[in-house]
Amino acid sequence: MSDEPETIERPSYPTAQYPTALGASSLKSITLLGRDLAEDVMGKVGFGELAFWLATQRRPTPGETRVFEAVLAALADHGFTPTAIVTRLTYLSAPDSIQGALAAGLLGGGSRFLGVTEDCGRFLHDVLDAHDGPLPSDDAGWDALALETVRAQRQARRFIPGLGHHVHKEGDPRTPRLMEIAAEENLFGPHLSLFAAIGRVHPEVLGRTLPLNGAGVCGAALADLGLPLELLRGFALLARTAGLIGQLAEELRRPVANEIFLSVDLNNRSVEPEPYTP
């Protein structure tokens, strides 16, 4: 028997390639979106502009950047919401895990908080996509489409995403301002037009007046910018990340998480079990 190691024939495979137009590194340079990161991006491109560019792989116009950054500002922080509270409590429990605290807050972005941005954008897009013929060209036409839409939702017993707010019952201040900015930049498109019309006509169907909330108008504005509908919630989470960092920074200076924890822990009361019945 030979002591020579057995030679194993290995099949040949083509060299794998993973194309990307995003970031790539070489020995002496880093490119991002086809630009030199150090020379062409750093100090020259704002973060909001870059976030838009990364998502669309096209550089936004100044007007698009202004509307996009207005959306980010509108969604950054809303005070002691569940996302903020859970971030502070997670930091209280694990101060060695900033990433865990931030992740905990972001994971709470859903249908009641933050997720409305995506829900509203998708809803408006679906209505527009299902509309036969050319889109309306004036307020009367948009009102007619909105009235049909609200009636259909009412008949189906479904809520309209972006309609109503638990605090701003007389009007969300973010809504008219974002619409104003979009109009100033000639970016008031069909999603915002339909959303504004829903705001005008819904009392006729619902019998009461509800505000168009800020999360909803943000979804309409993002959809009008042509951003992928699948990413709308991602942009809301991007904005809220900055807010949660602010919450943690304030927690370091003026901590409240322990008081929140103790207010529950010291005030719980024992009750008899209630067996689950399907």
Side-chain angles (χ1 to χ4, degrees):
M1 179 180 291
S2 172
D3 292 332
E4 293 294 323
E6 181 181 358
T7 301
I8 300 176
E9 293 289 337
R10 296 185 180 275
S12 60
Y13 293 98
T15 303
Q17 294 186 348
Y18 304 96
T20 177
L22 301 178
S25 299
S26 62
L27 179 62
K28 295 184 178 181
S29 69
I30 304 172
T31 59
L32 182 63
L33 296 161
R35 308 297 178 96
D36 185 281
L37 175 65
E39 296 299 323
D40 301 328
V41 179
M42 294 172 62
K44 297 179 180 179
V45 180
F47 183 70
E49 180 182 2
L50 181 60
F52 187 109
W53 198 351
L54 286 166
T56 62
Q57 298 198 7
R58 69 172 181 84
R59 190 166 188 173
T61 66
E64 289 173 326
T65 299
R66 184 178 179 223
V67 172
F68 183 69
E69 291 185 344
V71 168
L72 296 182
L75 297 174
D77 183 75
H78 301 159
F80 285 115
T81 59
T83 59
I85 292 170
V86 74
T87 290
R88 291 193 184 224
L89 288 174
T90 302
Y91 180 75
L92 173 68
S93 180
D96 53 319
S97 179
I98 290 292
Q99 70 274 22
L102 290 173
L106 294 177
L107 289 171
S111 59
R112 293 184 178 178
F113 290 88
L114 294 177
V116 177
T117 297
E118 177 186 337
D119 296 342
C120 186
R122 283 182 176 272
F123 171 75
L124 297 170
H125 178 80
D126 289 345
V127 172
L128 295 171
D129 194 50
H131 179 69
D132 291 329
L135 294 175
S137 57
D138 56 20
D139 283 352
W142 284 113
D143 286 356
L145 178 57
L147 197 59
E148 178 185 334
T149 300
V150 176
R151 283 173 174 161
Q153 290 295 105
R154 173 81 173 207
Q155 185 174 4
R157 298 181 179 275
R158 291 193 296 260
F159 292 110
I160 296 175
L163 187 58
H165 196 283
H166 67 289
V167 175
H168 305 299
K169 298 184 181 299
E170 297 181 359
D172 190 320
R174 297 168 296 174
T175 299
R177 180 57 181 148
L178 187 52
M179 288 184 173
E180 180 182 37
I181 292 170
E184 289 172 355
E185 301 298 339
N186 293 316
L187 291 169
F188 200 102
H191 298 86
L192 281 170
S193 295
L194 177 57
F195 195 53
I198 288 172
R200 293 192 295 267
V201 307
H202 76 270
E204 181 180 337
V205 179
L206 304 184
R208 57 179 177 147
T209 301
L210 298 171
L212 297 175
N213 65 52
V217 76
C218 286
L222 292 174
D224 274 346
L225 289 175
L227 293 164
L229 297 176
E230 297 85 356
L231 298 182
L232 296 192
R233 188 172 302 189
F235 297 121
L237 295 174
L238 172 66
R240 187 52 56 91
T241 299
L244 295 179
I245 290 173
Q247 290 285 336
L248 289 173
E250 188 174 77
E251 181 67 19
L252 290 171
R253 299 190 304 273
R254 293 194 295 273
V256 299
N258 196 53
E259 293 180 34
I260 295 172
F261 158 60
L262 291 177
S263 71
V264 177
D265 185 55
L266 299 179
N267 292 289
N268 68 79
R269 60 187 181 87
S270 181
V271 297
E272 290 298 318
E274 295 183 12
Y276 170 73
T277 53

